[in-house]
Amino acid sequence: MDSQKLENLLNLALNASMQEREKSLDLDVGYDAETNVWELIVKYNGDLARLNNPIIGVEELIAGYAIVTIPQSLIQSLVELEEIEYVEMPKRLFFHLQQGKEASCILPVTVREPYLTGRDTLVAVIDSGIDYERMDFRRADGSSRIAYLWDQALQPDESRGFYPPEGFLTGVEFNNMQINEALAESSPEERFRMLPSIDTSGHGTSVAAIAAGNGLSSDGRYVGVAPESELIIVKLGVPQQLSFPRTTELMRALTYVVQKSVELAKPISINLSFGNTYGAHDGTSLIERFMDNVSEIGRSVICVGSGNEGAAGGHTAGIVSGETRVELAVAPYERALNVQLWKEYADIFRITLISPGGEQQIVETARTGTIRLRMEQTEVLIYIGEPSPYSINQEIYFDFLPQQTYINSGVWTFMLQPVKIVTGNFYFYLPSSVVLNSATRFYSPTPEITFTIPSTSQKVITVGAYSSIYDAYADFSGRGILLENSLEAGVASGWVKPDIVAPGVDISISNGMGGTQFVTGTSFATPFVTGSAALMMEWGIVRGNDPYLYGEKVKAYLRRGARPLRGEAIYPNPRVGYGALCLSQSLPL
């Protein structure tokens, strides 16, 4: 089936065979092959309650968004409903893995007047979970500072008192009383029986320790930025073994934490240290627009890492004026690969795909829909898309699938020839470098516009990384684009990304066993800003200095107080935005 109410990738997935979906990196995300059921993101108007039945599940979120679980055979009927405006499939999310308080000017406002600690604020960490037993997340009396912990990966069990949060269908929610009851048990086995939530990767625990840990360094100072804030933790659900969380889990989590903030009547700073590369990077996808809506609920700030794709070679861009060749090196043993080509719909290119062995196939772009090509030992599944109601951009999506075990390695060439050119701008993206061989990359990569989604949402604070040792930009950090260059570069949205950068190279944190470990990546730059936002809201809202210090106002203050970095002459710029986090200069003390 093909419908303009469905995003291009979902149209292609529904047109693909079961075998093609299984081989693809993206076409099976949100699909359960055993039940033939999809989990979909829906933008709607009116009321979807009438759809809720034993066959179709509806979780209404906020601002006209919902997650619908529906058999594939009923999707056609779903999109025919007048209430349904647009539907997308979920996308996988990848954590951004690759001494900061002093460099970020946090100590001047925490160790002396006004002695900010994050008291009566909330810090939400939506990640891989938390080691709730760690002393970093407890008060002096040993009780937990975690107000709520929602583990989306656990199964509800009424006999054990395990229930999902009100209004949600998945996972198990634990409140502060339940967490303290588990901590009171002397036996690790009994604690686990009462609260079986584990951070198996340690990623979420590390992020939480930077943003809000209250462990002490050797000189007696707190290691975390907002050590007296309360925590709301969401462990993102992982739908399948060896898989990654999805954007649907993120949308549930964001709805949950902002609702808790309103319920508790406390300002909240939310940390997201993950993303993906799928999309036009212009803020127009449902997840990006959803996050802009979430940011307007209550008194909140959302901080998102810009990703680690800056030097990964997974993006290239240019202008088609004559024949243009884009070469992609595919390493041996790649089981699957996809390539997104984004361009303005007004431009028309003739595309010729050339395989490593020299075989050439013309990709007919005059009509939208699915195309299948067989080139050497690789099947190429192509979808020629149309603009969505929210974007002027057109996507041409290439999914490379092996006929046997691996796709053909070597140089794949996309030859672009102008037919009708207005701007001629084009943008190619590969999947996240986390799932590819490091040698799979474009021969002439473009480092600009390499931030990951959802850091592209307009109203979030997008955080890049720099090295506090060299006081210089870290080249892995996802880059954005300058406001004054946005039209020239063909980007319709005119905002600067990233907003600021924070320390993200060799950050020393506790390992929970009396030692330290070093972590690198925008994952760990982001919580410096998250914790700083909590301190700013404590100063403004909790202490009554500025009851409107949340949302875009926090971003504006952080931009204004940012300090310059070595090697950066013009601000804002695509690498570091307005500069490096400097909290003491961002507060109007």
Side-chain angles (χ1 to χ4, degrees), residues 280-282 317-319 342-345 347 391-394 422-427 449 481-494:
H281 292 68
D282 62 356
I319 299 175
W342 294 90
K343 67 179 192 65
E344 281 205 34
Y345 189 64
D347 292 320
S391 174
I392 61 172
N393 294 308
Q394 179 186 27
V422 179
T423 68
N425 296 300
F426 66 85
Y427 305 86
I449 323 179
I481 189 162
L482 281 174
L483 175 64
E484 57 264 33
N485 292 338
S486 60
L487 292 179
E488 179 185 342
V491 178
S493 47

Side-chain angles (χ1 to χ4, degrees), residues 325 352-355 357-363 373 375 415:
R325 297 171 68 92
T352 303
L353 184 62
I354 306 173
S355 71
E359 182 181 345
Q360 299 188 19
Q361 293 263 20
I362 294 175
V363 180
L373 302 178
M375 302 184 72
M415 189 162 63

Side-chain angles (χ1 to χ4, degrees), residues 268-299:
I268 189 167
S269 184
I270 304 168
N271 191 98
L272 307 179
S273 289
F274 44 72
N276 67 70
T277 62
Y278 179 79
H281 292 68
D282 62 356
T284 59
S285 72
L286 290 191
I287 182 63
E288 293 163 298
R289 296 170 64 244
F290 172 79
M291 290 183 64
D292 287 339
N293 281 276
V294 167
S295 69
E296 297 178 354
I297 296 176
R299 296 168 296 176

Side-chain angles (χ1 to χ4, degrees), residues 211-354:
N214 62 4
L216 297 177
S217 62
S218 58
D219 60 2
R221 295 173 177 172
Y222 286 119
V223 174
V225 178
E228 289 195 299
S229 60
E230 289 184 83
L231 290 157
I232 297 180
I233 304 297
V234 180
K235 177 178 178 179
L236 291 175
V238 178
Q240 298 173 359
Q241 190 176 13
L242 301 178
S243 188
F244 298 91
R246 303 187 299 222
T247 47
T248 41
E249 279 86 37
L250 170 58
M251 294 174 75
R252 291 184 177 104
L254 284 166
T255 302
Y256 172 77
V257 299
V258 296
Q259 287 176 344
K260 287 297 183 188
S261 170
V262 172
E263 176 186 319
L264 297 171
K266 292 182 178 181
I268 189 167
S269 184
I270 304 168
N271 191 98
L272 307 179
S273 289
F274 44 72
N276 67 70
T277 62
Y278 179 79
H281 292 68
D282 62 356
T284 59
S285 72
L286 290 191
I287 182 63
E288 293 163 298
R289 296 170 64 244
F290 172 79
M291 290 183 64
D292 287 339
N293 281 276
V294 167
S295 69
E296 297 178 354
I297 296 176
R299 296 168 296 176
S300 64
V301 175
I302 304 176
C303 303
V304 188
S306 67
N308 296 346
E309 301 293 327
H315 169 56
T316 190
I319 299 175
V320 173
S321 55
E323 183 177 286
T324 303
R325 297 171 68 92
V326 175
E327 295 181 325
L328 170 65
V330 177
Y333 312 116
E334 288 285 13
R335 293 183 178 273
L337 175 69
N338 59 67
V339 178
Q340 309 160 52
L341 167 58
W342 294 90
K343 67 179 192 65
E344 281 205 34
Y345 189 64
D347 292 320
I348 301 175
F349 305 159
R350 180 178 293 109
I351 303 174
T352 303
L353 184 62
I354 306 173

